[in-house]
Amino acid sequence: MREGINIFEEDFWAITDVLNRLLQGTNSRTILLIDKAGQLITSVGDTAALDTSSFATLSAADFAATSQLATLIGEKEFSTLFHQGEKENLYVCLVADRVILAVIFDMRATLGLIRVKAKNGAAELEKIFEEIFNKLDKDTSASSEIDADFTKAAEEELDKLFGF
Amino acid sequence: MALINYASREINAKIVYYGPGLGGKTTNIKYIYTKLNPSVKGKLISLATELDRTLFFDFLPVDLGTIRGFKTRFHLYTVPGQVFYNASRKLILKGVDGIIFVADSQIERFEENIESFENMLDNLTTYGLSLERIPLVIQFNKRDLPNITSVEELQKVMNVNNKYPYFESVASQGIGVFETLKEVCRHVLKALS
């Protein structure tokens, strides 16, 4: 199984559409989609005050650590996590075994509704990601946009960033 | 492996600092954090014990800039080096694009380096990965200390035939830190195309 994820335009908009509907349907604040390695795929809703990189990394770590806890008590994985705060709460569930869906919500939303709608949303996303993974398994070559010229331009940027 | 988003024009790649405990992995990442311009770095996250030993990982996102329209970003992670934290090390390696192995040059740490290197190979295998596919750069750290193994001896056990690029370093003073990082970034970006 390929570990990398390449998201192309049409898949990206299909994913964003599912997330936006979930956001509106649940009255939640922010929804993030994160790969299990901790990289943010996309987010919808209010992210202005959120460090999304850190959030993605820590969510993936949280999920990974909790999965290990699950195996210690004989479960394959805990498919959902819920963290309750005073004002903000976090609901996390797994999509297509490889992607983490994180929903941040406050008192305007209810956990029950989030659970139901997130389950439906995850099922829709699962179909999209299965197609993405199928495409990736069939075609392992990178897009023509990431070519030798890209590598050359990247080297120039590296020189600039590190100053030597 | 790298996440390439053609719609939002973003590339994210994951680089992991591996090596024995107290070898200088966190020192590397902290030095990078202090020296990089605030506009290209994110927040440094350290999940450490009260005594500042890495418990789970350190994390630092670094923006390389826009390459042919793609906003390219490296996520730097360290693993906890202590032997009993292998479950955490394995989790951090998930989706890795490039590895920097930070070896401790002190004579008394020689065996720990070998153990950690072998542990890295084992953990990669569990993900179906190997150093044939994942770029590795070795950093021989603490070269300023008096009681150190020669680079030739270290090479013999970790880098036969100069298979991987390597650098000598004194991470606490920043010597060799950026050279090592730049080298692994170069290989990771090359591997994408």
Side-chain angles (χ1 to χ4, degrees):
Chain A
M1 183 166 70
R2 264 178 77 102
E3 284 273 329
I5 301 181
N6 293 5
I7 311 257
F8 293 95
E9 197 101 29
E10 60 193 69
D11 301 317
F12 182 79
W13 295 121
I15 291 167
T16 308
D17 178 49
V18 175
L19 296 184
N20 271 325
R21 276 190 280 120
L22 184 57
L23 184 83
Q24 283 152 15
T26 55
N27 246 339
S28 46
R29 186 162 78 92
T30 315
I31 299 180
L32 301 98
L33 205 57
I34 301 154
D35 85 341
K36 268 189 166 179
Q39 302 182 113
L40 179 69
I41 296 170
T42 190
S43 61
V44 296
D46 175 18
T47 54
L50 187 66
D51 177 351
T52 52
S53 284
S54 301
F55 190 92
T57 298
L58 291 169
S59 296
D62 183 21
F63 207 90
T66 314
S67 296
Q68 293 296 307
L69 279 178
T71 58
L72 292 179
I73 60 163
E75 283 289 324
K76 186 174 162 267
E77 197 148 44
F78 291 131
S79 55
T80 60
L81 303 178
F82 173 55
H83 298 295
Q84 187 171 12
E86 264 180 40
K87 288 181 187 158
E88 305 286 339
N89 311 293
L90 175 62
Y91 179 83
V92 181
C93 66
L94 194 60
V95 176
D97 238 18
R98 302 255 300 263
V99 179
I100 295 162
L101 176 72
V103 183
I104 303 170
F105 63 100
D106 57 21
M107 60 203 296
R108 290 176 301 152
T110 61
L111 177 61
L113 185 65
I114 302 261
R115 269 185 206 282
V116 174
K117 297 254 181 190
K119 198 176 170 188
N120 296 340
E124 281 188 67
L125 289 170
E126 195 150 334
K127 281 184 199 150
I128 300 168
F129 275 98
E130 268 166 17
E131 271 181 43
I132 291 174
F133 297 142
N134 281 340
K135 268 189 258 179
L136 288 172
D137 286 336
K138 275 184 209 148
D139 179 15
T140 54
S141 61
S143 152
S144 57
E145 289 184 81
I146 316 281
D147 55 10
D149 285 347
F150 174 87
T151 310
K152 197 165 164 271
E155 297 230 358
E156 283 165 16
E157 286 298 324
L158 281 174
D159 289 340
K160 264 194 254 167
L161 177 67
F162 296 123
F164 60 90
Chain B
M1 303 290 279
L3 178 91
I4 304 177
N5 190 330
Y6 289 94
S8 59
R9 314 291 289 175
E10 284 177 345
I11 296 175
N12 286 338
K14 181 173 186 175
I15 291 169
V16 174
Y17 284 79
Y18 211 96
L22 293 174
K25 301 176 292 297
T26 300
T27 309
N28 262 271
I29 218 167
K30 281 189 173 163
Y31 183 81
I32 292 162
Y33 180 73
T34 55
K35 291 293 167 187
L36 280 182
N37 190 317
S39 63
V40 299
K41 68 184 178 192
K43 200 173 155 196
L44 173 66
I45 291 177
S46 283
L47 302 184
T49 66
E50 282 176 15
L51 296 171
D52 230 13
R53 298 293 304 270
T54 306
L55 176 65
F56 199 170
F57 59 83
D58 305 304
F59 168 73
L60 176 66
V62 176
D63 283 325
L64 175 57
T66 303
I67 304 171
R68 299 192 76 206
F70 284 90
K71 196 175 168 214
T72 306
R73 177 175 261 214
F74 291 104
H75 288 173
L76 312 185
Y77 287 81
T78 66
V79 297
Q82 295 177 83
V83 175
F84 48 86
Y85 287 142
N86 194 45
S88 304
R89 272 194 296 281
K90 209 151 87 181
L91 295 177
I92 305 307
L93 271 185
K94 188 166 183 61
V96 66
D97 292 292
I99 301 173
I100 292 172
F101 187 88
V102 182
D104 190 330
S105 299
Q106 297 178 91
I107 289 173
E108 65 268 30
R109 307 301 308 280
F110 188 76
E111 292 295 328
E112 275 107 315
N113 289 322
I114 301 170
E115 272 171 36
S116 177
F117 199 87
E118 283 171 359
N119 170 259
M120 174 182 75
L121 297 178
D122 286 347
N123 282 339
L124 283 173
T125 308
T126 62
Y127 290 123
L129 298 173
S130 74
L131 295 179
E132 304 301 319
R133 282 174 55 201
I134 306 293
L136 170 75
V137 177
I138 299 175
Q139 184 186 78
F140 297 119
N141 194 24
K142 307 192 186 180
R143 298 309 295 171
D144 59 328
L145 297 183
N147 190 28
I148 52 174
T149 309
S150 70
V151 170
E152 292 72 29
E153 284 297 313
L154 289 163
Q155 286 276 84
K156 267 186 211 164
V157 291
M158 275 177 273
N159 196 12
V160 184
N161 299 330
N162 274 344
K163 199 172 172 190
Y164 312 110
Y166 73 92
F167 293 88
E168 293 183 50
S169 72
V170 183
S172 56
Q173 297 169 31
I175 299 168
V177 169
F178 279 112
E179 288 83 349
T180 319
L181 176 61
K182 187 180 175 186
E183 185 69 8
V184 83
C185 290
R186 225 164 53 78
H187 287 280
V188 166
L189 289 167
K190 208 171 161 193
L192 287 180
S193 61

